Amino acid sequence: AAEECSNTGTVQKHVETATYGSLFDVVVLTNSGLFDVTSGLLILGDGSLGSSTTPTITNTGTIQGGPGTMIAVTGNLTSSGNILGDVMSLQGLSNVSGSFTANTTVIANTATFTGSVHGFGDLNVTGTLDVVAATLDPSDLSSLKLSGTLITDEELTVSGAFNWNGGTLRGVGGQGSLI
């Protein structure tokens, strides 16, 4: 595995079928440019090809995926940039202070959002999601699967299915509810 990768330009990922994935297996990935996924799957920071260190991804640019794409961030993510995509899977420790938009969001570890969230879409929380310091606009979820912990001080509206398979829905300071 490469030790470091820095993107200041544009990395575009495109394949003819969505079943193929691309993997950035690096210890440190820094993006101040654009990661543009037009089809298929992009895995950032996998670490499975030889490093015993958890990969670190720093985004001050834009990570975006088009319709039918999936971006899986498997390392630890710090993002003050923009993240937008169809399916976003955050599998490492994540601190997102920039803008975030997805049609489907998977939180598999601990994720703290402090920036503008323009939609989680269908939300699946198996880890811990803290949105207390985030600006949720809108605060609507298409659906919610909760087996982890969701921490909020906002009123959340679930317009579709709500599957609560254990875990915790926690309001802060007497605030936060689910409608």
Side-chain angles (χ1 to χ4, degrees):
E3 292 297 313
E4 247 180 85
C5 177
S6 180
N7 175 45
T8 58
T10 299
V11 175
Q12 187 173 59
K13 189 240 184 244
H14 174 80
V15 293
E16 294 301 317
T17 61
T19 57
Y20 295 103
S22 293
L23 175 67
F24 273 85
D25 182 25
V26 295
V27 175
V28 177
L29 175 61
T30 303
N31 177 50
S32 60
L34 171 65
F35 270 92
D36 184 20
V37 183
T38 59
S39 66
L41 165 67
L42 177 65
I43 301 170
L44 297 175
D46 182 61
S48 66
L49 299 178
S51 175
S52 61
T53 303
T54 300
T56 301
I57 298 98
T58 302
N59 176 49
T60 58
T62 298
I63 299 172
Q64 70 181 17
T69 64
M70 178 179 183
I71 299 172
V73 181
T74 59
N76 294 338
L77 170 69
T78 301
S79 178
S80 60
N82 300 309
I83 299 175
L84 56 147
D86 194 18
V87 178
M88 297 298 304
S89 178
L90 303 180
Q91 300 170 12
L93 298 174
S94 301
N95 290 295
V96 180
S97 62
S99 177
F100 182 91
T101 307
N103 293 321
T104 300
T105 306
V106 177
I107 305 296
N109 201 314
T110 298
T112 302
F113 285 77
T114 58
S116 297
V117 177
H118 301 289
F120 285 118
D122 295 312
L123 179 60
N124 182 356
V125 180
T126 60
T128 298
L129 173 59
D130 183 340
V131 294
V132 171
T135 301
L136 303 179
D137 180 33
S139 59
D140 298 347
L141 303 173
S142 300
S143 68
L144 175 61
K145 289 182 183 177
L146 182 63
S147 59
T149 301
L150 173 57
I151 305 166
T152 183
D153 63 353
E154 298 253 352
E155 195 171 85
L156 300 177
T157 301
V158 180
S159 58
F162 175 34
N163 296 307
W164 195 341
N165 301 315
T168 304
L169 177 61
R170 185 170 78 192
V172 174
Q175 302 296 310
S177 62
L178 191 63
I179 297 175

